[in-house]
């Protein structure tokens, strides 16, 4: 199952990490929640294949280490979500539907 497109209404904002909103639940290292708002990545779904990072035309994403997470030991973080041009390439290319882009959450 991919990211919940209504996570900002269905989940509680539990804090901030690296300047990004984090939506729970979070229980490290197994549960990491959703990171970002305009460009949101569900860290619990992300398998870190890197396609979004490699193909993003404006370099929104960076790698972050997530040791001990059951899906992967690193994730793509929407570090520069404010530079997103809403092309939706990352959404289309993600093999597990871990990314959501929504301009209304900017």
């Amino acid at each position: 199952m991919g990211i919940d497109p209504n996570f900002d209404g269905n989940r509680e904002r539990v804090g901030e990490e690296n300047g990004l909103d984090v939506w729970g639940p979070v229980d490290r290292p197994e549960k990491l929640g959703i990171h970002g708002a305009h460009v949101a990545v569900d860290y619990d779904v992300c398998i870190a294949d890197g396609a979004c990072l490699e193909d993003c035309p404006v370099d929104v994403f960076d790698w972050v280490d997530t040791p001990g997470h059951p899906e992967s030991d690193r994730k793509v973080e929407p570090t520069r979500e404010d530079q997103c041009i809403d092309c939706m390439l990352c959404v289309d290319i993600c093999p597990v539907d871990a990314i959501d882009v929504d301009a209304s959450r900017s």
Side-chain angles (χ1 to χ4, degrees):
M1 177 162 55
I3 189 171
D4 174 3
N6 300 311
F7 69 87
D8 56 330
N10 295 335
R11 292 183 178 213
E12 180 181 347
R13 183 183 176 281
V14 295
E16 189 176 289
E17 190 172 305
N18 298 327
L20 296 170
D21 290 334
V22 177
W23 309 83
V26 173
D27 184 17
R28 296 184 184 281
E30 293 85 16
K31 287 255 189 222
L32 301 176
I34 294 175
H35 292 233
H38 177 111
V39 179
V41 178
D42 189 332
Y43 278 25
D44 297 322
V45 176
C46 177
I47 60 170
D49 82 326
C52 56
L53 185 137
E54 293 172 12
D55 291 349
C56 178
V58 292
D59 297 321
V60 167
F61 302 97
D62 284 323
W63 288 116
V64 293
D65 292 328
T66 57
H69 190 269
E71 290 299 326
S72 63
D73 285 332
R74 66 182 185 167
K75 304 292 178 188
V76 290
E77 177 179 79
T79 307
R80 292 170 293 283
E81 69 176 342
D82 61 329
Q83 296 185 26
C84 178
I85 59 173
D86 300 333
C87 71
M88 307 299 278
L89 182 59
C90 59
V91 172
D92 294 339
I93 204 165
C94 181
V96 292
D97 298 322
I99 303 171
D100 186 57
V101 175
D102 187 341
S104 70
R105 289 193 303 256
S106 298

